[in-house]
Amino acid sequence: MKRKSIKKCVKYSGFAVALGAVCMLGAWYFSGTSEAETVTEKTESTAGETAIDGWKAADADREYMYCVASVSKIYSTAAVMKLAEEGKVSLDSPVTDYIPEFKMADPRYKDITVRMLMNHTSGIMGTSTKGMLLYNDDDSLHQDEFLKNLSTQRLKADPGKYASYCNDGFDLLGIIAERVSGLNFADFIKKYLVTPTGGSSTETGFTVLGNKDLVPGYTAGHTLYENGLSTSIGAGGVFSTASDVAKFGSGFFYGNNALFSDFYKKAMAKRWDDKDEFTDGCGLGWDSVSVDEFKEAGVDVLGKGGDDGLNHSYLLVAPDNKISVSVLANGGSSALNGLVAQEILKVCLEEKGISVTEKSKNVPEIVTEIPEKYDAYAGSYIVASSTGEVIDRISFPDHRYMHVEEISPYNTTYADYALTSDGRFTELAYEVSDSGIDDIKLAVNPQSVSFTDAADGKVLLNGMKINSFPEIGSYEDKSYVGERMEENPVSEEVLSSWQAMNGAELCLTGDIYSSSLYDTANGYIILPKDYPGYVFVVHGLGTRLLKIVDERHLVAFQTIPSSRSRDLIDAEIVAVDNEMQIHLSNNSECIFAAELPVFDGSEKEISLSTGQAKWYRIGDAVSNSEVQIEERPEKSAVYVYNKFGDVVYTSHVVGITDVVPMPEGGKIVFLGETGGVVKIK
């Protein structure tokens, strides 16, 4: 392949990924047995070759190491597949056969098999977050508490019932690989996955600290952070170069036995459920085992993306055509990386005489009268996305269109949909109240939804949308997105106890000083109007709508059969040292901001404690001024948040000043280890 054509593809990514920042993007492809090529693209918002915070233009020619984030799941899947080929692991045996101490507070856990971990059908709630993503630290807290935390959790679904993205399942796979092989994960993948495919620069979160080739952690605003490390090894803890990842991908070419035989590769490439287009399209480890436009050209492709802090990754493999493409970036998103990878793959296929073209979409016609049968679908639905859950209240005014009130913790928005000739409801460009019913038009690139009557009596909402990015490409998002809610009657006494907490601010505590979860440490408890019995809990992983059980307990209730059910949580109010806290089932702990002491400038020393955040409200005496940190232990951190909970200062920024802003109505938190002291001037 000519370098010029690769450059063309990668330049597309510079537009999308840079976001006005200094951005390094490594793209690497491996095509059959021919010599492959590395391309690194640097994009910066300032003109010329000026260095920014020590970064020089010459660095663009280096091949950096990135956290490949959830592409790590292909490594952990391949590791266990290798052991399966050797007869040391059976994919359909219980996980407890290999991790005897694995237990959960739900007897169904005994039915979870190794295969269910690989295809996200285990029923495990999602992600244990404590100690998972750290700044410049490889502390083992996440691994130390991982199995203990799972032992307190219930399952969200019967094992094997449906696929829903689950990080914890792949951490269990990593443990299986270590237990069965007798090697730590880093040594195992180097010996059996990396070296056999020709790689030489792959590590894990426990072995990469201090590596000079780690990519700088720039944000879109040119701010350089300390390197982020993932200690969730099986789910997201592999670090590698674009070339190593693409070479690893070549191990999945059919006929290449560097990793294991085609039998196991084809098992990974089989969709877990080929009967329902709205369930997740994952295989074993792979997010996707088919892309429509490539399939129509006769090309099978396997894809896996990952996002972890400032690092984003995508691995795309065409096993029959023997092409592997890896795109890693410290900006943007895995979705954008995936589109760049597809463009590179198209160029590779063109040189093999295979043309891949995007299929044109027919624009459906609007149906002016909605049949009465749809009245049965009016009501309230819990609808989930990657950022959180909302309530959609659906009605069909005059049987002419579908009206949706979307209720979030903060506001209510409105949208209207027309029934179209494809049997779906398609989003309109304007609300009918603004445009009038006789002048309705479909939105550009609209979302469409329809209803499914599930076998268990539930009504599901499924959605489709084409996500387009100019000059890069587009992808179709097709999934079950919601399910109809039921009333949850609770006593006046129980309801009043939660109403007393309505609007309460939450502050993360219990995690270690290096945890990046303090970047999103503020949350809320909000009761939705008109829905007694339900509570919105806003926290670091987004918004969750929970059902009230009693004065102390909230539970996740949705069973959307897709990854819209990922990372569910239950919540419990507990008393710790006479202080009320809310504990989440993902191993997060939060305190109530109303109980925080006031920081008024009289504090000269703050004593630190391991796993106990020292939070303060910024008092009037120091509001809109500054204080200076005179001395701070190496293993510590300081964050300042404004009144909206946004970070305005963090000591994890490289070269940050010791002069700390004190915004009015904000909060400050000191983090560190027992025995440490922060001195304030």
Side-chain angles (χ1 to χ4, degrees), residues 162 382-384 460 480-483 558-565:
Y162 61 82
I382 178 173
V383 175
L460 303 176
Y480 286 112
V481 298
E483 71 174 88
Q558 60 112 320
T559 58
I560 304 168
S562 73
S563 283
R564 300 301 177 107
S565 287

Side-chain angles (χ1 to χ4, degrees), residues 636-671:
S636 68
V638 178
Y639 278 85
V640 177
Y641 308 85
N642 62 22
K643 62 183 178 181
F644 304 108
D646 302 320
V647 175
V648 297
Y649 177 95
T650 169
S651 56
H652 291 304
V653 171
V654 175
I656 191 74
T657 176
D658 289 332
V659 178
V660 181
M662 296 280 106
E664 183 179 359
K667 295 185 283 294
I668 184 169
V669 64
F670 300 89
L671 308 162

Side-chain angles (χ1 to χ4, degrees), residues 327-347:
V327 180
L328 312 179
N330 69 339
S333 70
S334 61
L336 293 175
N337 286 18
L339 292 177
V340 173
Q342 288 188 21
E343 291 302 306
I344 295 174
L345 177 57
K346 288 175 185 177
V347 174

Side-chain angles (χ1 to χ4, degrees), residues 313-472:
S313 58
Y314 206 89
L315 174 61
L316 188 68
V317 177
D320 286 311
N321 305 88
K322 296 181 169 48
I323 302 172
S324 172
V325 183
S326 164
V327 180
L328 312 179
N330 69 339
S333 70
S334 61
L336 293 175
N337 286 18
L339 292 177
V340 173
Q342 288 188 21
E343 291 302 306
I344 295 174
L345 177 57
K346 288 175 185 177
V347 174
C348 294
L349 290 170
E350 284 175 6
E351 296 193 354
K352 292 175 175 284
I354 302 172
S355 178
V356 178
T357 57
E358 188 171 351
K359 184 179 180 181
S360 61
K361 304 293 182 180
N362 295 323
V363 179
E365 295 181 355
I366 292 175
V367 176
T368 57
E369 186 73 21
I370 297 175
E372 290 186 0
K373 68 177 182 179
Y374 285 101
D375 290 346
Y377 298 117
S380 297
Y381 293 74
I382 178 173
V383 175
S385 70
S386 59
T387 57
E389 297 171 346
V390 296
I391 299 171
D392 276 7
R393 188 153 51 198
I394 294 175
S395 60
F396 303 96
D398 299 323
H399 294 100
R400 301 293 299 278
Y401 62 98
M402 183 174 79
H403 181 65
V404 178
E405 301 172 66
E406 187 158 283
I407 303 165
S408 79
Y410 309 111
N411 58 23
T412 299
T413 59
Y414 306 91
D416 291 330
Y417 293 71
L419 180 62
T420 48
S421 54
D422 58 0
R424 303 183 60 78
F425 287 88
T426 304
E427 187 180 5
L428 296 177
Y430 313 101
E431 290 179 48
V432 170
S433 61
D434 294 330
S435 65
I437 190 64
D438 296 322
D439 192 32
I440 58 176
K441 296 180 177 62
L442 298 181
V444 176
N445 221 14
Q447 173 173 296
S448 67
V449 297
S450 60
F451 302 91
T452 297
D453 294 303
D456 58 4
K458 295 186 177 182
V459 177
L460 303 176
L461 194 65
N462 54 62
M464 290 197 306
K465 183 176 176 60
I466 304 295
N467 298 283
S468 298
F469 300 89
E471 296 193 83
I472 301 174

